[in-house]
Amino acid sequence: MSVSVLLIRPDPGNERFGLGPFFRVEPLGLGYIAAALRQAGHEPHVVDARFEPGLARVIRRTRPRVVGVSALHALEYERVLEVAREVRRLSPGCFVLVGGHAAAAFPEPLETDAVDAICLDDGEEVVPALVDALERGTPLAAVPALRLRTPDGWVTTAPLAERTGLDRVPLPERLGADRYRSRYHCLLFRPVWLVETARGCPFRCSFCSVWQLYGRSFRERSVGAVVDDFAAVGEHVFVADDLFWNHPARSLELAHALRRRGVRKRWILVQSRCDLVARHPELLAAWRPLAEHFDVFFGLEAPTDAGLAGLAKDASLDETLEGVRAARAERFGVTGNFLVDPAWGESEFHELWAFVKQHGLGRAGYTILTPLPGTELFERLRPALEGQPWANYDMHHLLWRPGLGPARFFELYAETWRRSVLNLSGDKRWLDWVRQVRPREIPYITRVMLRTQRLMKPRAYLAEHEHGAHAMPLRAVDPAWLPAPARGPSEPDGASHAPKRALPLADAPRE
Ligand code: B12
């Protein structure tokens, strides 16, 4: 029998700082789960609560037996639990399941009475298996990759026999997301579609929770499925892949297949590494014709070799510069992110500003080094982080006492943002932004740009830090808890499928 399953993308609620207001994209993970449920004969409903808040009405409309709530970011844990509690109150008979990156990487905060199970892996196999078990009344303990609430406490079921192949569900169901399509945007571009061609990353950057969840594995969707997806979506595409172009031969094949199909978009954004494109400029040349505007978001991270090594980036500053140069040579828009460490003194800020200026990196953004749950860094700093609200894990809040003290730290952090193109009193003015958009988008881009100005106001950060809804005193970090600088590359998952530092990426075996 077909089971009605409601899949909810909650409103994270905390978007005063950070990327949230500038990038709103569809819940693609729920689209893949919906497709898997449809394949299994069930009736999925995807609801984006950022644009459709009334849960009571949604539940009346969809009459679910199972409600799945997505927890993509750690900053959303508290909101996810609020949604779960509301579902319980409105529909006590529903089974409440939580899943998504943050839930799988670190389920602990979700283990409450409001939740029945937490998905510890990707959802394409696990969710239909769980729904089938509920429908048939078979033991849930036999469903893989779950944290399960039982009368004896929370238990973990067996892991999936192997990582879910991405072709198991080749295309997402976009029916749900299409109801909100006009609301999805990335800065200037609207509406936006999210497309996934591959999942995972073989590198081991200390601040990232993705490789730690997926054991440095890297999975690819088949070229045919990706081409069908690209051909079906609209003119603005954000590629969700953790590391685009990781497999050069397949990336070239994909570019050629897309060109043969006549795919050409108005805008594409991908996320990649500088060292990768520095070594494979032919990928840039092959992909550039596929869009009128093509942005690449690089993990720039640090302006020095020592800084990169301290983050286990396994790349050099020369490679950063070569990657940026290669991308610019092919007329890619170069964006990216630097990490700002709360341990910094004045000189590290000045070093960053000088680097950004020298290399014209005004389109980069800046985030505060944040120990994400699911990382080793988080485990090390745990004693100092105790009690910090999850909503503050948005990379724009301090979670422990900075070396310079909060007031001076925020002054310098805001000053760092003032050096970006988002600063309307900097080199790029409001009129320059407006000239880039279609006339009907002018009111919208004006609103977005006004909101971004908060990133440049030290007083805004300080007010948030001292009196914000989630204000919490900061503890000092014992230097012994901080990671030792740069060790040699360790082995992923006990296997040997991660690229060694000296190997060209083309030779890196994949799962
Ligand atoms: C797209 C994306 C965004 C989008 C928003 C996405 C959205 N829909 O709202 C934007 C660009 C806005 C964004 C912003 C940020 N992001 Co983000 N984002 C991603 C990214 C790159 C891809 C997610 C995705 O769609 N993947 C493709 C789909 C198909 O996969 P999926 O979502 O994982 O879904 C599968 C499973 O997770 C599971 N699943 C998903 N939902 C559910 C629900 C249920 C019920 C179940 C059972 C299973 C399940 O099944 C799905 C199918 O297998 C991830 C990287 C990643 N690997 O997760 C980072 C990631 C989630 N983001 C991250 C971060 C840190 C941020 C920011 C804080 C960064 C910043 N600089 O400000 C901001 C926060 C914004 C805010 N205030 O809310 C971190 C989160 C780490 C953490 N533990 O919190 C990640 C993991 C990146 C990283 N390398 O560390 N992000």
Side-chain angles (χ1 to χ4, degrees):
M1 225 183 69
S2 162
V3 175
S4 172
V5 181
L6 171 61
L7 301 168
I8 305 176
R9 197 299 179 214
D11 182 346
N14 178 17
E15 294 200 329
R16 287 196 309 291
F17 296 92
L19 278 181
F22 329 133
F23 287 78
R24 281 222 172 78
V25 299
E26 67 198 280
L28 186 63
L30 298 184
Y32 278 109
I33 295 172
L37 284 166
R38 190 82 64 190
Q39 252 177 24
H42 300 297
E43 192 196 330
H45 308 270
V46 173
V47 165
D48 193 329
R50 292 171 295 183
F51 309 116
E52 189 172 353
L55 189 55
R57 210 174 38 244
V58 168
I59 288 187
R60 267 199 311 277
R61 171 166 67 82
T62 56
R63 303 170 73 84
R65 161 83 181 87
V66 180
V67 176
V69 188
S70 108
L72 189 58
H73 302 105
L75 67 95
E76 296 171 50
Y77 285 134
E78 281 128 355
R79 289 306 283 255
V80 167
L81 286 174
E82 275 171 36
V83 172
R85 280 193 287 267
E86 205 183 341
V87 173
R88 265 289 187 268
R89 191 173 54 77
L90 292 166
S91 187
C94 268
F95 187 93
V96 180
L97 169 69
V98 178
H101 177 84
F106 191 71
E108 211 176 289
L110 302 166
E111 292 173 6
T112 69
D113 286 351
V115 174
D116 294 306
I118 303 163
C119 180
L120 301 179
D121 210 314
D122 293 345
E124 289 95 335
E125 286 182 78
V126 179
V127 181
L130 175 75
V131 173
D132 286 346
L134 285 167
E135 186 199 358
R136 294 192 191 118
T138 54
L140 298 187
V143 177
L146 290 181
R147 276 295 275 168
L148 205 55
R149 193 163 56 82
T150 73
D152 305 321
W154 285 84
V155 299
T156 303
T157 65
L160 283 169
E162 55 187 57
R163 289 189 200 286
T164 305
L166 298 193
D167 284 328
R168 191 174 185 114
V169 180
L171 292 171
E173 180 172 302
R174 294 188 192 266
L175 254 183
D178 283 344
R179 297 175 47 231
Y180 320 98
R181 185 62 63 197
S182 64
R183 313 292 289 271
Y184 295 131
H185 66 90
C186 292
L187 264 180
L188 302 175
F189 301 102
R190 181 169 72 151
V192 157
W193 281 258
L194 194 61
V195 165
E196 185 194 57
T197 92
R199 202 176 284 178
C201 176
F203 288 87
R204 54 170 200 129
C205 306
S206 59
F207 52 85
C208 176
S209 50
V210 167
W211 64 269
Q212 310 194 45
L213 174 66
Y214 290 140
R216 290 170 83 174
S217 63
F218 179 74
R219 287 167 284 163
E220 296 165 345
R221 219 169 270 295
S222 70
V223 166
V226 176
V227 172
D228 286 347
D229 204 16
F230 259 91
V233 300
E235 59 177 352
H236 304 138
V237 178
F238 175 178
V239 178
D241 300 16
D242 300 297
L243 178 57
F244 199 60
W245 291 316
N246 177 50
H247 177 188
R250 179 254 188 188
S251 298
L252 278 181
E253 190 191 336
L254 186 53
H256 295 145
L258 287 166
R259 281 157 75 172
R260 274 199 305 277
R261 183 73 165 264
V263 168
R264 183 166 157 89
K265 301 295 177 188
R266 179 160 181 257
W267 174 73
I268 297 180
L269 167 66
V270 300
Q271 314 178 83
S272 194
R273 289 176 59 103
C274 290
D275 56 340
L276 198 168
V277 302
R279 249 175 280 161
H280 293 286
E282 76 279 9
L283 293 172
L284 296 169
W287 275 84
R288 187 61 189 85
L290 288 165
E292 184 187 344
H293 307 277
F294 207 133
D295 286 334
V296 51
F297 183 97
F298 286 123
L300 299 166
E301 329 302 3
T304 60
D305 277 321
L308 292 171
L311 297 165
K313 184 78 187 175
D314 291 343
S316 68
L317 205 60
D318 284 348
E319 286 168 307
T320 297
L321 294 176
E322 182 49 28
V324 167
R325 194 206 56 73
R328 283 185 177 147
E330 289 291 346
R331 294 176 305 102
F332 280 81
V334 172
T335 74
N337 194 67
F338 287 98
L339 290 172
V340 172
D341 191 332
W344 278 6
E346 309 261 343
S347 63
E348 284 90 346
F349 279 100
H350 286 278
E351 214 162 23
L352 175 59
W353 300 344
F355 184 79
V356 166
K357 186 167 181 201
Q358 185 184 354
H359 300 291
L361 292 167
R363 291 189 65 192
Y366 307 92
T367 51
I368 300 177
L369 176 64
T370 300
L372 294 168
T375 62
E376 197 203 340
L377 190 62
F378 175 81
E379 291 306 326
R380 280 169 180 275
L381 296 184
R382 215 165 163 164
L385 300 172
E386 208 60 50
Q388 288 299 328
W390 294 112
N392 288 353
Y393 281 69
D394 65 349
M395 304 193 153
H396 290 269
H397 284 76
L398 284 169
L399 298 170
W400 72 88
R401 203 176 309 139
L404 292 167
R408 185 64 182 149
F409 177 85
F410 282 132
E411 257 169 35
L412 297 177
Y413 182 53
E415 182 55 38
T416 309
W417 269 106
R418 288 177 59 79
R419 284 144 204 275
S420 83
V421 291
L422 293 178
N423 183 2
L424 289 180
S425 34
D427 293 343
K428 186 164 172 173
R429 302 300 174 115
W430 175 78
L431 254 183
D432 302 321
W433 284 98
V434 163
R435 271 193 214 107
Q436 283 179 272
V437 299
R438 293 167 173 166
R440 66 166 190 270
E441 302 287 1
I442 292 176
Y444 149 77
I445 192 64
T446 304
R447 269 197 317 274
V448 169
M449 290 312 298
L450 288 177
R451 277 189 81 167
T452 61
Q453 301 313 293
R454 192 179 288 135
L455 289 164
M456 289 136 224
K457 296 189 175 129
R459 262 180 296 142
Y461 292 101
L462 213 53
E464 170 84 0
H465 168 69
E466 287 170 351
H467 318 291
H470 305 286
M472 180 63 70
L474 304 174
R475 292 198 189 85
V477 156
D478 184 330
W481 298 336
L482 288 167
R487 287 161 304 180
S490 53
E491 287 294 308
D493 261 7
S496 59
H497 53 240
K500 300 285 180 287
R501 179 72 188 80
L503 269 186
L505 285 170
D507 298 333
R510 287 162 305 278
E511 275 202 343

